[in-house]
């Protein structure tokens, strides 16, 4: 394969992995540990 194709596939895989990790952290089981900054500063 050409180096541009390999670079494009590598970049796409890294981007999808980061997006998947962000969605998992936001909506998966680790989200129970996240705090809500708006609830912390209610008056």
């Amino acid at each position: 394969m050409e180096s541009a194709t390999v670079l494009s596939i590598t970049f796409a895989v890294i981007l999808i992995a980061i997006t998947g990790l962000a969605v998992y952290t936001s909506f998966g089981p680790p989200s129970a540990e996240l705090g809500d900054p708006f609830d912390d500063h209610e008056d």
Side-chain angles (χ1 to χ4, degrees):
M1 276 198 276
E2 289 190 37
S3 61
T5 305
V6 173
L7 184 64
S8 299
I9 292 171
T10 303
F11 182 73
V13 167
I14 290 171
L15 184 64
I16 291 169
I18 291 172
T19 304
L21 180 64
V23 170
Y24 176 75
T25 303
S26 298
F27 300 109
S31 67
E33 299 174 8
L34 295 176
D36 187 0
F38 292 103
D39 285 342
D40 293 341
H41 299 295
E42 281 188 12
D43 293 327

